[in-house]
Amino acid sequence: RRGAVRGGVARLRAACARRVRRDGADVHLTPTEYELLARLVRHAGQPCRDKCQYGSEPGGLLVGECRARRGLRGHPRVEPRGNGLGERCEHRLLLEREAQPGMHSTGRSAAIFSAIYGNPTVRALSRASRNFLFEPPQDFAEAPLVSPRATLFIAPKEQVASLRAMREDADVRAGTEPMTTAEALARVPILRADHVVEALYEPGASDIDVNGLHQAFLRGFKQRGGRLVCNVKIEALEPKWRAHTDDETFEAPIVVNAAGAWADEVARLAGARALGIQPKRRTVVLLDAPKEHDIRNWPLVIDASETFYFKPDAGRILLTPADETPSEPCDAQPDEMDMALAIDRFEAAALRFSV
């Protein structure tokens, strides 16, 4: 089509460039917003009687119209600038500091769902997550997000009181069953009998496919028009909002601080009050599995005082001293003393085995 379409204060030029001008200034709209705006202008004052659609969002037409109108007022949702490619208006933008998402805590998780692990607040959050993880929305994930992996809480003599106190909590009692020493050793044959005076078994726990979960969220984000930009380090963040990097500036009316360990740093860049979020390091050691045992169906084993736990992981044993060492936000690396501590606690609870 050639020529121009006028509507109110806006002028749409239907050439290849698909330019929109308001009061003599260009307005930047996405192709979908442009088509929607052109249609509304051509049929000004008329109801939309057919199946008007804007993307796949509920109420999409209204959302699209609001975004187009916001663009006409000079407030596009997100506007990255620089790199010689001109400006682009985007609705959702995710800025990732690393070369790819999930390089830190997400990619290094022990990946267990347990409704009884942690303090009461953590347990409540876990219970609230159960339905989503076990029955995710249709088409959210390409495969199940969880697979069976029971947990086994064990107590040597000095931890029996802690295990019994844990058992007194109603939510713990509802999801566990007491287990004898012999029953616990039948589940995990490498355990020492003197280290399992009493035990609690949680059959409803599960492994979480963290990568599958993470990729499902990223896929849904992109399907809804989101754009992921990696290797972005924000140097300055101005209110209303401009995020400045070395070679680009991103603009948006709303900024969500989801920077994890770096959340306080981002808050300070924005001039907001830091919440005092303290990153903590947890050490993980991978051990070769005992050749005389099939470990695939072993539960996660954790002592009642939560000083260590271990579980099968891709044919090996993942072990941690359950440390929570305060750290600066960084690419965390294991400390040799913590690794030695993990192995010492494991050897106190497990028989020696050949690999």
Side-chain angles (χ1 to χ4, degrees):
R1 299 186 300 272
R2 297 187 179 277
V5 178
R6 296 178 182 273
V9 297
R11 176 182 175 89
L12 283 69
R13 184 164 297 279
C16 294
R18 297 194 168 200
R19 296 171 60 193
V20 179
R21 298 179 65 81
R22 181 182 187 275
D23 297 333
D26 284 345
V27 175
H28 300 278
L29 300 179
T30 66
T32 304
E33 287 172 348
Y34 179 92
E35 290 292 341
L36 175 62
L37 187 60
R39 181 174 187 175
L40 292 174
V41 170
R42 290 192 184 94
H43 302 281
Q46 301 176 23
C48 182
R49 300 186 183 279
D50 57 358
K51 294 181 179 179
C52 296
Q53 182 72 25
Y54 180 83
S56 58
E57 301 178 45
L61 178 65
L62 180 59
V63 172
E65 182 180 0
C66 289
R67 289 174 179 166
R69 291 182 186 277
R70 181 162 53 240
L72 289 174
R73 290 198 302 270
H75 298 287
R77 185 70 182 273
V78 177
E79 202 174 87
R81 303 178 182 214
N83 71 23
L85 299 178
E87 300 177 359
R88 284 188 289 180
C89 172
E90 312 222 13
H91 307 312
R92 300 173 184 86
L93 188 65
L94 180 60
L95 303 182
E96 167 61 56
R97 181 169 179 165
E98 305 298 345
Q100 64 185 44
M103 285 191 63
H104 297 291
S105 297
T106 300
R108 303 173 183 180
S109 171
I112 194 77
F113 173 88
S114 170
I116 66 169
Y117 176 75
N119 60 42
T121 301
V122 171
R123 296 201 298 265
L125 289 171
S126 296
R127 292 194 301 273
S129 303
R130 175 184 286 276
N131 287 345
F132 180 86
L133 292 172
F134 284 74
E135 298 181 11
Q138 187 176 8
D139 299 328
F140 173 75
E142 297 176 343
L145 298 175
V146 293
S147 56
R149 174 75 62 201
T151 60
L152 178 64
F153 288 78
I154 61 174
K157 182 178 179 179
E158 63 272 17
Q159 294 185 21
V160 167
S162 296
L163 190 69
R164 291 177 178 177
M166 177 182 173
R167 174 73 173 161
E168 290 301 310
D169 285 343
D171 57 326
V172 174
R173 192 164 55 251
T176 61
E177 52 193 59
M179 187 168 276
T180 66
T181 300
E183 290 171 330
L185 268 58
R187 298 278 182 177
V188 186
I190 65 170
L191 288 173
R192 295 178 180 273
D194 60 356
H195 210 83
V196 190
V197 176
E198 293 187 11
L200 275 181
Y201 187 67
E202 181 192 15
S206 294
D207 279 336
I208 302 173
D209 181 357
V210 174
N211 181 65
L213 178 63
H214 191 214
Q215 291 303 316
F217 277 120
L218 287 173
R219 185 166 53 251
F221 171 71
K222 293 175 182 177
Q223 288 172 348
R224 288 162 176 78
R227 186 167 72 97
L228 171 66
V229 183
C230 296
N231 288 317
V232 173
K233 182 179 179 182
I234 298 175
E235 304 290 347
L237 187 57
E238 300 175 3
K240 295 188 180 179
W241 286 101
R242 288 186 177 88
H244 299 284
T245 69
D246 287 339
D247 58 358
E248 204 165 1
T249 295
F250 302 90
E251 295 186 9
I254 298 172
V255 171
V256 178
N257 182 355
W262 287 266
D264 277 2
E265 290 188 9
V266 172
R268 283 189 282 268
L269 286 175
R273 178 176 59 87
L275 297 178
I277 295 174
Q278 175 61 66
K280 295 184 178 182
R281 185 184 71 244
R282 174 157 292 186
T283 304
V284 168
V285 179
L286 287 175
L287 306 176
D288 290 332
K291 65 180 181 180
E292 62 267 30
H293 296 292
D294 182 354
I295 71 170
R296 288 176 295 178
N297 294 322
W298 283 6
L300 178 145
V301 178
I302 181 170
D303 69 332
S305 297
E306 297 185 10
T307 64
F308 80 101
Y309 60 81
F310 66 89
K311 59 166 282 192
D313 186 82
R316 306 182 78 186
I317 293 176
L318 181 151
L319 167 68
T320 173
D323 52 325
E324 297 178 349
T325 307
S327 169
E328 293 297 315
C330 63
D331 181 14
Q333 300 297 317
D335 180 85
E336 289 187 0
M337 183 60 70
D338 291 328
M339 295 171 64
L341 185 61
I343 294 171
D344 180 68
R345 291 173 180 174
F346 178 79
E347 289 181 339
L351 300 169
R352 291 187 177 273
F353 53 83
S354 57
V355 296

mmCIF file of all heavy atoms in Angstrom, residues 5-49:
data_model
loop_
_atom_site.group_PDB
_atom_site.id
_atom_site.type_symbol
_atom_site.label_atom_id
_atom_site.label_comp_id
_atom_site.label_asym_id
_atom_site.label_seq_id
_atom_site.Cartn_x
_atom_site.Cartn_y
_atom_site.Cartn_z
ATOM 1 N N VAL A 5 -2.214 7.247 6.180
ATOM 2 C CA VAL A 5 -3.502 7.167 6.862
ATOM 3 C C VAL A 5 -3.453 8.136 8.018
ATOM 4 O O VAL A 5 -2.501 8.149 8.800
ATOM 5 C CB VAL A 5 -3.754 5.727 7.379
ATOM 6 C CG1 VAL A 5 -5.079 5.666 8.120
ATOM 7 C CG2 VAL A 5 -3.739 4.735 6.229
ATOM 8 N N ARG A 6 -4.500 8.979 8.147
ATOM 9 C CA ARG A 6 -4.547 9.947 9.230
ATOM 10 C C ARG A 6 -5.621 9.532 10.238
ATOM 11 O O ARG A 6 -6.655 9.018 9.875
ATOM 12 C CB ARG A 6 -4.875 11.343 8.709
ATOM 13 C CG ARG A 6 -3.823 11.919 7.775
ATOM 14 C CD ARG A 6 -4.249 13.288 7.262
ATOM 15 N NE ARG A 6 -3.290 13.834 6.340
ATOM 16 C CZ ARG A 6 -2.225 14.539 6.707
ATOM 17 N NH1 ARG A 6 -2.012 14.765 7.990
ATOM 18 N NH2 ARG A 6 -1.376 15.005 5.821
ATOM 19 N N GLY A 7 -5.348 9.783 11.493
ATOM 20 C CA GLY A 7 -6.327 9.520 12.529
ATOM 21 C C GLY A 7 -6.001 10.353 13.742
ATOM 22 O O GLY A 7 -5.008 10.130 14.412
ATOM 23 N N GLY A 8 -6.824 11.366 14.049
ATOM 24 C CA GLY A 8 -6.529 12.230 15.184
ATOM 25 C C GLY A 8 -5.226 12.955 14.964
ATOM 26 O O GLY A 8 -4.991 13.552 13.925
ATOM 27 N N VAL A 9 -4.331 12.841 15.979
ATOM 28 C CA VAL A 9 -3.041 13.535 15.882
ATOM 29 C C VAL A 9 -1.982 12.643 15.253
ATOM 30 O O VAL A 9 -0.851 13.068 15.079
ATOM 31 C CB VAL A 9 -2.568 13.990 17.281
ATOM 32 C CG1 VAL A 9 -3.533 14.984 17.874
ATOM 33 C CG2 VAL A 9 -2.401 12.787 18.213
ATOM 34 N N ALA A 10 -2.334 11.397 14.934
ATOM 35 C CA ALA A 10 -1.340 10.469 14.405
ATOM 36 C C ALA A 10 -1.417 10.384 12.899
ATOM 37 O O ALA A 10 -2.471 10.527 12.301
ATOM 38 C CB ALA A 10 -1.536 9.084 15.020
ATOM 39 N N ARG A 11 -0.288 10.152 12.254
ATOM 40 C CA ARG A 11 -0.213 9.981 10.811
ATOM 41 C C ARG A 11 0.587 8.712 10.552
ATOM 42 O O ARG A 11 1.729 8.589 10.976
ATOM 43 C CB ARG A 11 0.468 11.190 10.167
ATOM 44 C CG ARG A 11 0.690 11.054 8.655
ATOM 45 C CD ARG A 11 1.418 12.292 8.147
ATOM 46 N NE ARG A 11 1.768 12.175 6.749
ATOM 47 C CZ ARG A 11 0.983 12.555 5.741
ATOM 48 N NH1 ARG A 11 -0.218 13.032 6.000
ATOM 49 N NH2 ARG A 11 1.386 12.445 4.491
ATOM 50 N N LEU A 12 -0.034 7.747 9.887
ATOM 51 C CA LEU A 12 0.611 6.479 9.587
ATOM 52 C C LEU A 12 1.005 6.476 8.132
ATOM 53 O O LEU A 12 0.162 6.647 7.250
ATOM 54 C CB LEU A 12 -0.339 5.299 9.852
ATOM 55 C CG LEU A 12 -0.556 4.876 11.321
ATOM 56 C CD1 LEU A 12 -1.339 5.937 12.074
ATOM 57 C CD2 LEU A 12 -1.301 3.550 11.362
ATOM 58 N N ARG A 13 2.267 6.289 7.850
ATOM 59 C CA ARG A 13 2.735 6.237 6.478
ATOM 60 C C ARG A 13 2.915 4.778 6.105
ATOM 61 O O ARG A 13 3.736 4.076 6.657
ATOM 62 C CB ARG A 13 4.035 7.017 6.321
ATOM 63 C CG ARG A 13 4.522 7.078 4.876
ATOM 64 C CD ARG A 13 5.570 8.159 4.717
ATOM 65 N NE ARG A 13 5.023 9.484 4.991
ATOM 66 C CZ ARG A 13 4.330 10.196 4.127
ATOM 67 N NH1 ARG A 13 4.042 9.698 2.934
ATOM 68 N NH2 ARG A 13 3.878 11.390 4.442
ATOM 69 N N ALA A 14 2.111 4.320 5.155
ATOM 70 C CA ALA A 14 2.059 2.900 4.820
ATOM 71 C C ALA A 14 3.081 2.510 3.766
ATOM 72 O O ALA A 14 2.817 1.720 2.892
ATOM 73 C CB ALA A 14 0.662 2.531 4.347
ATOM 74 N N ALA A 15 4.227 3.077 3.833
ATOM 75 C CA ALA A 15 5.307 2.664 2.942
ATOM 76 C C ALA A 15 6.028 1.496 3.580
ATOM 77 O O ALA A 15 5.639 0.994 4.624
ATOM 78 C CB ALA A 15 6.259 3.842 2.700
ATOM 79 N N CYS A 16 7.122 1.044 2.952
ATOM 80 C CA CYS A 16 7.823 -0.110 3.488
ATOM 81 C C CYS A 16 8.322 0.145 4.907
ATOM 82 O O CYS A 16 8.382 -0.754 5.725
ATOM 83 C CB CYS A 16 8.991 -0.488 2.587
ATOM 84 S SG CYS A 16 8.467 -1.077 0.956
ATOM 85 N N ALA A 17 8.695 1.402 5.173
ATOM 86 C CA ALA A 17 9.232 1.710 6.494
ATOM 87 C C ALA A 17 8.172 1.634 7.570
ATOM 88 O O ALA A 17 8.480 1.497 8.742
ATOM 89 C CB ALA A 17 9.851 3.113 6.490
ATOM 90 N N ARG A 18 6.891 1.724 7.181
ATOM 91 C CA ARG A 18 5.776 1.664 8.129
ATOM 92 C C ARG A 18 5.999 2.652 9.266
ATOM 93 O O ARG A 18 5.990 2.276 10.441
ATOM 94 C CB ARG A 18 5.599 0.248 8.667
ATOM 95 C CG ARG A 18 5.227 -0.744 7.586
ATOM 96 C CD ARG A 18 4.732 -2.027 8.157
ATOM 97 N NE ARG A 18 4.124 -2.853 7.123
ATOM 98 C CZ ARG A 18 3.283 -3.850 7.340
ATOM 99 N NH1 ARG A 18 2.946 -4.143 8.570
ATOM 100 N NH2 ARG A 18 2.775 -4.538 6.345
ATOM 101 N N ARG A 19 6.192 3.903 8.928
ATOM 102 C CA ARG A 19 6.480 4.920 9.916
ATOM 103 C C ARG A 19 5.200 5.451 10.529
ATOM 104 O O ARG A 19 4.173 5.574 9.883
ATOM 105 C CB ARG A 19 7.285 6.050 9.294
ATOM 106 C CG ARG A 19 8.655 5.622 8.812
ATOM 107 C CD ARG A 19 9.313 6.723 8.019
ATOM 108 N NE ARG A 19 9.487 7.944 8.808
ATOM 109 C CZ ARG A 19 9.804 9.123 8.282
ATOM 110 N NH1 ARG A 19 9.955 9.233 6.972
ATOM 111 N NH2 ARG A 19 9.963 10.167 9.044
ATOM 112 N N VAL A 20 5.270 5.791 11.805
ATOM 113 C CA VAL A 20 4.177 6.456 12.511
ATOM 114 C C VAL A 20 4.731 7.752 13.064
ATOM 115 O O VAL A 20 5.791 7.766 13.682
ATOM 116 C CB VAL A 20 3.634 5.573 13.651
ATOM 117 C CG1 VAL A 20 2.507 6.301 14.379
ATOM 118 C CG2 VAL A 20 3.141 4.237 13.118
ATOM 119 N N ARG A 21 4.019 8.847 12.801
ATOM 120 C CA ARG A 21 4.478 10.143 13.283
ATOM 121 C C ARG A 21 3.397 10.780 14.127
ATOM 122 O O ARG A 21 2.209 10.650 13.850
ATOM 123 C CB ARG A 21 4.849 11.067 12.108
ATOM 124 C CG ARG A 21 5.999 10.527 11.272
ATOM 125 C CD ARG A 21 6.326 11.434 10.108
ATOM 126 N NE ARG A 21 6.823 12.746 10.518
ATOM 127 C CZ ARG A 21 8.083 12.978 10.889
ATOM 128 N NH1 ARG A 21 8.963 12.001 10.891
ATOM 129 N NH2 ARG A 21 8.448 14.195 11.235
ATOM 130 N N ARG A 22 3.816 11.463 15.178
ATOM 131 C CA ARG A 22 2.902 12.207 16.032
ATOM 132 C C ARG A 22 3.502 13.579 16.287
ATOM 133 O O ARG A 22 4.625 13.688 16.783
ATOM 134 C CB ARG A 22 2.695 11.478 17.363
ATOM 135 C CG ARG A 22 1.728 12.195 18.311
ATOM 136 C CD ARG A 22 1.621 11.441 19.629
ATOM 137 N NE ARG A 22 0.585 11.993 20.482
ATOM 138 C CZ ARG A 22 0.739 13.014 21.311
ATOM 139 N NH1 ARG A 22 1.913 13.629 21.373
ATOM 140 N NH2 ARG A 22 -0.257 13.445 22.056
ATOM 141 N N ASP A 23 2.765 14.594 15.917
ATOM 142 C CA ASP A 23 3.245 15.969 16.074
ATOM 143 C C ASP A 23 4.615 16.154 15.438
ATOM 144 O O ASP A 23 5.498 16.821 15.979
ATOM 145 C CB ASP A 23 3.319 16.350 17.568
ATOM 146 C CG ASP A 23 1.946 16.331 18.227
ATOM 147 O OD1 ASP A 23 0.944 16.532 17.503
ATOM 148 O OD2 ASP A 23 1.880 16.115 19.447
ATOM 149 N N GLY A 24 4.815 15.503 14.278
ATOM 150 C CA GLY A 24 6.048 15.673 13.534
ATOM 151 C C GLY A 24 7.197 14.788 13.970
ATOM 152 O O GLY A 24 8.261 14.826 13.360
ATOM 153 N N ALA A 25 6.983 13.972 15.015
ATOM 154 C CA ALA A 25 8.058 13.116 15.518
ATOM 155 C C ALA A 25 7.709 11.657 15.261
ATOM 156 O O ALA A 25 6.552 11.259 15.354
ATOM 157 C CB ALA A 25 8.280 13.352 17.009
ATOM 158 N N ASP A 26 8.740 10.855 14.924
ATOM 159 C CA ASP A 26 8.535 9.422 14.713
ATOM 160 C C ASP A 26 8.172 8.730 16.023
ATOM 161 O O ASP A 26 8.707 9.061 17.087
ATOM 162 C CB ASP A 26 9.792 8.772 14.141
ATOM 163 C CG ASP A 26 9.968 9.093 12.655
ATOM 164 O OD1 ASP A 26 9.005 9.550 12.022
ATOM 165 O OD2 ASP A 26 11.080 8.864 12.146
ATOM 166 N N VAL A 27 7.257 7.771 15.917
ATOM 167 C CA VAL A 27 6.884 6.917 17.044
ATOM 168 C C VAL A 27 7.269 5.488 16.685
ATOM 169 O O VAL A 27 6.978 5.032 15.582
ATOM 170 C CB VAL A 27 5.366 6.988 17.344
ATOM 171 C CG1 VAL A 27 4.998 5.999 18.440
ATOM 172 C CG2 VAL A 27 4.979 8.407 17.745
ATOM 173 N N HIS A 28 7.917 4.790 17.576
ATOM 174 C CA HIS A 28 8.426 3.455 17.295
ATOM 175 C C HIS A 28 7.456 2.403 17.814
ATOM 176 O O HIS A 28 7.237 2.289 19.021
ATOM 177 C CB HIS A 28 9.806 3.264 17.925
ATOM 178 C CG HIS A 28 10.802 4.248 17.414
ATOM 179 N ND1 HIS A 28 11.477 4.076 16.222
ATOM 180 C CD2 HIS A 28 11.221 5.439 17.913
ATOM 181 C CE1 HIS A 28 12.274 5.114 16.016
ATOM 182 N NE2 HIS A 28 12.136 5.949 17.027
ATOM 183 N N LEU A 29 6.870 1.634 16.906
ATOM 184 C CA LEU A 29 5.951 0.554 17.243
ATOM 185 C C LEU A 29 6.460 -0.742 16.634
ATOM 186 O O LEU A 29 7.146 -0.744 15.621
ATOM 187 C CB LEU A 29 4.540 0.850 16.701
ATOM 188 C CG LEU A 29 3.841 2.122 17.193
ATOM 189 C CD1 LEU A 29 2.477 2.241 16.529
ATOM 190 C CD2 LEU A 29 3.689 2.110 18.705
ATOM 191 N N THR A 30 6.097 -1.858 17.265
ATOM 192 C CA THR A 30 6.410 -3.150 16.686
ATOM 193 C C THR A 30 5.525 -3.356 15.457
ATOM 194 O O THR A 30 4.497 -2.682 15.297
ATOM 195 C CB THR A 30 6.145 -4.281 17.679
ATOM 196 O OG1 THR A 30 4.742 -4.352 17.950
ATOM 197 C CG2 THR A 30 6.909 -4.064 18.971
ATOM 198 N N PRO A 31 5.862 -4.292 14.555
ATOM 199 C CA PRO A 31 5.011 -4.547 13.395
ATOM 200 C C PRO A 31 3.575 -4.880 13.774
ATOM 201 O O PRO A 31 2.625 -4.425 13.128
ATOM 202 C CB PRO A 31 5.702 -5.729 12.705
ATOM 203 C CG PRO A 31 7.143 -5.582 13.081
ATOM 204 C CD PRO A 31 7.134 -5.057 14.479
ATOM 205 N N THR A 32 3.394 -5.663 14.847
ATOM 206 C CA THR A 32 2.040 -6.016 15.270
ATOM 207 C C THR A 32 1.285 -4.793 15.753
ATOM 208 O O THR A 32 0.114 -4.592 15.438
ATOM 209 C CB THR A 32 2.097 -7.078 16.383
ATOM 210 O OG1 THR A 32 2.844 -8.198 15.924
ATOM 211 C CG2 THR A 32 0.694 -7.535 16.765
ATOM 212 N N GLU A 33 1.959 -3.951 16.550
ATOM 213 C CA GLU A 33 1.309 -2.731 17.026
ATOM 214 C C GLU A 33 0.958 -1.815 15.856
ATOM 215 O O GLU A 33 -0.094 -1.171 15.841
ATOM 216 C CB GLU A 33 2.218 -2.021 18.021
ATOM 217 C CG GLU A 33 2.301 -2.731 19.357
ATOM 218 C CD GLU A 33 3.348 -2.137 20.272
ATOM 219 O OE1 GLU A 33 4.160 -1.315 19.783
ATOM 220 O OE2 GLU A 33 3.376 -2.491 21.465
ATOM 221 N N TYR A 34 1.848 -1.746 14.868
ATOM 222 C CA TYR A 34 1.571 -0.909 13.702
ATOM 223 C C TYR A 34 0.316 -1.385 12.983
ATOM 224 O O TYR A 34 -0.569 -0.591 12.652
ATOM 225 C CB TYR A 34 2.766 -0.935 12.743
ATOM 226 C CG TYR A 34 2.520 -0.109 11.492
ATOM 227 C CD1 TYR A 34 2.897 1.219 11.424
ATOM 228 C CD2 TYR A 34 1.865 -0.665 10.391
ATOM 229 C CE1 TYR A 34 2.648 1.967 10.297
ATOM 230 C CE2 TYR A 34 1.601 0.083 9.258
ATOM 231 C CZ TYR A 34 1.997 1.395 9.217
ATOM 232 O OH TYR A 34 1.732 2.153 8.109
ATOM 233 N N GLU A 35 0.219 -2.701 12.742
ATOM 234 C CA GLU A 35 -0.943 -3.230 12.041
ATOM 235 C C GLU A 35 -2.222 -2.974 12.833
ATOM 236 O O GLU A 35 -3.271 -2.640 12.271
ATOM 237 C CB GLU A 35 -0.760 -4.738 11.805
ATOM 238 C CG GLU A 35 0.302 -5.075 10.781
ATOM 239 C CD GLU A 35 -0.094 -4.638 9.371
ATOM 240 O OE1 GLU A 35 -1.303 -4.417 9.126
ATOM 241 O OE2 GLU A 35 0.809 -4.493 8.525
ATOM 242 N N LEU A 36 -2.146 -3.148 14.138
ATOM 243 C CA LEU A 36 -3.313 -2.919 14.979
ATOM 244 C C LEU A 36 -3.726 -1.453 14.928
ATOM 245 O O LEU A 36 -4.911 -1.125 14.759
ATOM 246 C CB LEU A 36 -3.001 -3.337 16.419
ATOM 247 C CG LEU A 36 -4.099 -3.035 17.440
ATOM 248 C CD1 LEU A 36 -5.375 -3.794 17.100
ATOM 249 C CD2 LEU A 36 -3.629 -3.411 18.847
ATOM 250 N N LEU A 37 -2.758 -0.560 15.052
ATOM 251 C CA LEU A 37 -3.070 0.867 15.032
ATOM 252 C C LEU A 37 -3.642 1.280 13.687
ATOM 253 O O LEU A 37 -4.618 2.038 13.608
ATOM 254 C CB LEU A 37 -1.803 1.669 15.358
ATOM 255 C CG LEU A 37 -2.005 3.179 15.538
ATOM 256 C CD1 LEU A 37 -2.979 3.467 16.669
ATOM 257 C CD2 LEU A 37 -0.673 3.855 15.797
ATOM 258 N N ALA A 38 -3.059 0.772 12.595
ATOM 259 C CA ALA A 38 -3.568 1.101 11.266
ATOM 260 C C ALA A 38 -5.022 0.654 11.123
ATOM 261 O O ALA A 38 -5.863 1.368 10.569
ATOM 262 C CB ALA A 38 -2.694 0.449 10.191
ATOM 263 N N ARG A 39 -5.307 -0.511 11.629
ATOM 264 C CA ARG A 39 -6.676 -1.030 11.529
ATOM 265 C C ARG A 39 -7.647 -0.184 12.331
ATOM 266 O O ARG A 39 -8.746 0.132 11.882
ATOM 267 C CB ARG A 39 -6.691 -2.477 12.034
ATOM 268 C CG ARG A 39 -8.061 -3.128 11.942
ATOM 269 C CD ARG A 39 -7.950 -4.577 12.313
ATOM 270 N NE ARG A 39 -9.205 -5.261 12.087
ATOM 271 C CZ ARG A 39 -9.371 -6.557 12.233
ATOM 272 N NH1 ARG A 39 -8.344 -7.306 12.577
ATOM 273 N NH2 ARG A 39 -10.541 -7.113 12.032
ATOM 274 N N LEU A 40 -7.234 0.193 13.537
ATOM 275 C CA LEU A 40 -8.115 1.007 14.363
ATOM 276 C C LEU A 40 -8.357 2.377 13.735
ATOM 277 O O LEU A 40 -9.467 2.912 13.777
ATOM 278 C CB LEU A 40 -7.504 1.167 15.764
ATOM 279 C CG LEU A 40 -7.434 -0.105 16.622
ATOM 280 C CD1 LEU A 40 -6.665 0.170 17.910
ATOM 281 C CD2 LEU A 40 -8.830 -0.623 16.943
ATOM 282 N N VAL A 41 -7.322 2.960 13.149
ATOM 283 C CA VAL A 41 -7.475 4.269 12.523
ATOM 284 C C VAL A 41 -8.389 4.187 11.311
ATOM 285 O O VAL A 41 -9.256 5.049 11.108
ATOM 286 C CB VAL A 41 -6.091 4.836 12.131
ATOM 287 C CG1 VAL A 41 -6.236 6.069 11.254
ATOM 288 C CG2 VAL A 41 -5.281 5.183 13.378
ATOM 289 N N ARG A 42 -8.214 3.129 10.499
ATOM 290 C CA ARG A 42 -9.058 2.991 9.304
ATOM 291 C C ARG A 42 -10.527 2.776 9.652
ATOM 292 O O ARG A 42 -11.417 3.109 8.876
ATOM 293 C CB ARG A 42 -8.558 1.823 8.442
ATOM 294 C CG ARG A 42 -7.228 2.081 7.760
ATOM 295 C CD ARG A 42 -6.944 1.014 6.701
ATOM 296 N NE ARG A 42 -5.622 1.212 6.124
ATOM 297 C CZ ARG A 42 -4.517 0.614 6.543
ATOM 298 N NH1 ARG A 42 -4.582 -0.241 7.552
ATOM 299 N NH2 ARG A 42 -3.356 0.867 5.970
ATOM 300 N N HIS A 43 -10.768 2.192 10.813
ATOM 301 C CA HIS A 43 -12.141 1.899 11.215
ATOM 302 C C HIS A 43 -12.485 2.645 12.501
ATOM 303 O O HIS A 43 -13.130 2.101 13.391
ATOM 304 C CB HIS A 43 -12.309 0.389 11.401
ATOM 305 C CG HIS A 43 -11.987 -0.404 10.175
ATOM 306 N ND1 HIS A 43 -12.851 -0.530 9.116
ATOM 307 C CD2 HIS A 43 -10.870 -1.093 9.827
ATOM 308 C CE1 HIS A 43 -12.302 -1.274 8.171
ATOM 309 N NE2 HIS A 43 -11.082 -1.623 8.587
ATOM 310 N N ALA A 44 -12.060 3.901 12.560
ATOM 311 C CA ALA A 44 -12.293 4.699 13.765
ATOM 312 C C ALA A 44 -13.784 4.767 14.090
ATOM 313 O O ALA A 44 -14.623 4.975 13.224
ATOM 314 C CB ALA A 44 -11.739 6.109 13.561
ATOM 315 N N GLY A 45 -14.117 4.567 15.355
ATOM 316 C CA GLY A 45 -15.496 4.653 15.792
ATOM 317 C C GLY A 45 -16.322 3.417 15.539
ATOM 318 O O GLY A 45 -17.503 3.369 15.892
ATOM 319 N N GLN A 46 -15.729 2.392 14.931
ATOM 320 C CA GLN A 46 -16.475 1.171 14.610
ATOM 321 C C GLN A 46 -16.054 0.046 15.561
ATOM 322 O O GLN A 46 -14.883 -0.080 15.892
ATOM 323 C CB GLN A 46 -16.200 0.733 13.166
ATOM 324 C CG GLN A 46 -16.568 1.769 12.134
ATOM 325 C CD GLN A 46 -16.187 1.332 10.736
ATOM 326 O OE1 GLN A 46 -16.049 0.138 10.481
ATOM 327 N NE2 GLN A 46 -16.016 2.289 9.845
ATOM 328 N N PRO A 47 -17.005 -0.782 16.019
ATOM 329 C CA PRO A 47 -16.636 -1.911 16.870
ATOM 330 C C PRO A 47 -15.882 -2.976 16.075
ATOM 331 O O PRO A 47 -16.073 -3.107 14.868
ATOM 332 C CB PRO A 47 -17.983 -2.454 17.365
ATOM 333 C CG PRO A 47 -18.961 -2.025 16.309
ATOM 334 C CD PRO A 47 -18.461 -0.705 15.793
ATOM 335 N N CYS A 48 -15.034 -3.713 16.752
ATOM 336 C CA CYS A 48 -14.298 -4.806 16.112
ATOM 337 C C CYS A 48 -15.163 -6.052 16.196
ATOM 338 O O CYS A 48 -15.316 -6.650 17.256
ATOM 339 C CB CYS A 48 -12.961 -5.021 16.836
ATOM 340 S SG CYS A 48 -11.952 -6.303 16.096
ATOM 341 N N ARG A 49 -15.749 -6.466 15.062
ATOM 342 C CA ARG A 49 -16.735 -7.539 15.080
ATOM 343 C C ARG A 49 -16.138 -8.909 14.824
ATOM 344 O O ARG A 49 -16.750 -9.920 15.142
ATOM 345 C CB ARG A 49 -17.825 -7.260 14.028
ATOM 346 C CG ARG A 49 -18.549 -5.940 14.287
ATOM 347 C CD ARG A 49 -19.712 -5.763 13.327
ATOM 348 N NE ARG A 49 -20.345 -4.480 13.526
ATOM 349 C CZ ARG A 49 -21.241 -4.226 14.486
ATOM 350 N NH1 ARG A 49 -21.584 -5.186 15.323
ATOM 351 N NH2 ARG A 49 -21.772 -3.030 14.616
#
